[in-house]
Amino acid sequence: MNFTLEGPVLDGTLVRLEPLEHRHAADLAVAAEYDRSSYRFTWVPTADEVEGYIDAQLARAAAGKLAPYAQVDRASDRAVGTTACWDPRLWPTSGELCAIEVGFAWLAGSAQGTGVNTEAKYLLFRHAFENWGVARVDLKTDARNGRSRAAIERVGARFEGVLRNWSRSWVPGEEGRLRDSAVFSITSEDWPDCRASLEQRMASGARAVRPGAGSPSPA
């Protein structure tokens, strides 16, 4: 059975996840250059590289192995980053989707700490468990990236361990080297409690920001 990974538009209060297209390129070029100081462990395209980045993601999507998204800030209606579902694993007997990874995620510095990441993860997790019916969602990051590891834990994923020399390092000066990857997961058994916790957190974040105040939520 041939399986193609396809992701629909996912609407939230703060963010709308739209299937990535070249129409997002201009916004993403601005977002990528806003403040690159937080990208040390994550490869984020420069403004000049955004078109090629989108081409590469769309090629992966055409192969059915990745559903790339633009993260669109609903207040400004501008793309402020990307994310994706990818690496689908199938049940060997039925050929149906068994597990998925959430990754390829980055946000402009201006969107970090605003609750956008929390809601984006919630939308992706909810779709994976409740629409695709997966048994597991994976998340990985450079084992040295304490900021990313903390963010992954805050959205309810459980740390499972470190895979040594697992994938390419994106740290400047480490070209051609492999990184150790910290692995996290949420299972279908975890999801009900994880969903309730995320919804409570998002509701608390919304109450903490006065409409129009422009203050970041604690997410």
Side-chain angles (χ1 to χ4, degrees):
M1 176 179 179
N2 292 325
F3 175 85
T4 300
L5 186 64
E6 296 179 339
V9 173
L10 301 175
D11 257 316
T13 301
L14 299 176
V15 65
R16 181 174 61 255
L17 300 182
E18 299 178 354
L20 183 65
E21 298 177 5
H22 278 284
R23 64 186 176 86
H24 298 113
D27 286 349
L28 292 175
V30 174
E33 297 295 343
Y34 182 87
D35 177 5
R36 298 188 64 86
S37 64
S38 64
Y39 299 153
R40 182 186 173 201
F41 294 102
T42 303
W43 185 75
V44 176
T46 64
D48 291 340
E49 294 170 332
V50 164
E51 291 283 359
Y53 174 82
I54 294 174
D55 283 337
Q57 293 296 74
L58 294 181
R60 295 182 181 103
K65 302 304 181 184
L66 180 137
Y69 282 101
Q71 301 192 61
V72 177
D73 173 66
R74 295 202 62 172
S76 64
D77 203 35
R78 290 183 175 275
V80 292
T82 71
T83 190
C85 290
W86 71 294
D87 191 22
R89 278 96 73 205
L90 309 181
W91 291 106
T93 51
S94 67
E96 295 180 351
L97 187 63
C98 170
I100 202 77
E101 182 167 342
V102 169
F104 288 98
W106 62 270
L107 280 173
S110 58
Q112 295 176 23
T114 64
V116 166
N117 176 66
T118 297
E119 188 174 71
K121 292 296 191 296
Y122 169 79
L123 293 171
L124 292 171
F125 297 162
R126 186 179 66 181
H127 187 75
F129 286 113
E130 299 179 16
N131 293 87
W132 286 336
V134 301
R136 172 188 171 96
V137 170
D138 299 337
L139 301 98
K140 298 188 184 78
T141 190
D142 192 306
R144 299 165 293 180
N145 192 344
R147 181 175 181 175
S148 178
R149 291 176 65 160
I152 291 172
E153 289 181 335
R154 283 198 301 271
V155 297
R158 297 188 184 185
F159 175 62
E160 294 189 329
V162 172
L163 299 174
R164 297 181 299 164
N165 286 353
W166 179 252
S167 61
R168 176 182 176 180
S169 173
W170 297 107
V171 175
E174 294 188 358
E175 293 78 8
R177 292 177 55 184
L178 296 174
R179 76 177 194 188
D180 294 347
S181 292
V183 182
F184 299 78
S185 73
I186 301 170
T187 67
S188 55
E189 291 81 8
D190 300 331
W191 174 237
D193 288 343
C194 179
R195 174 174 179 159
S197 177
L198 285 170
E199 289 176 348
Q200 181 179 28
R201 186 174 168 206
M202 290 187 295
S204 297
R207 289 194 296 270
V209 180
R210 302 191 314 275
S215 301
S217 77

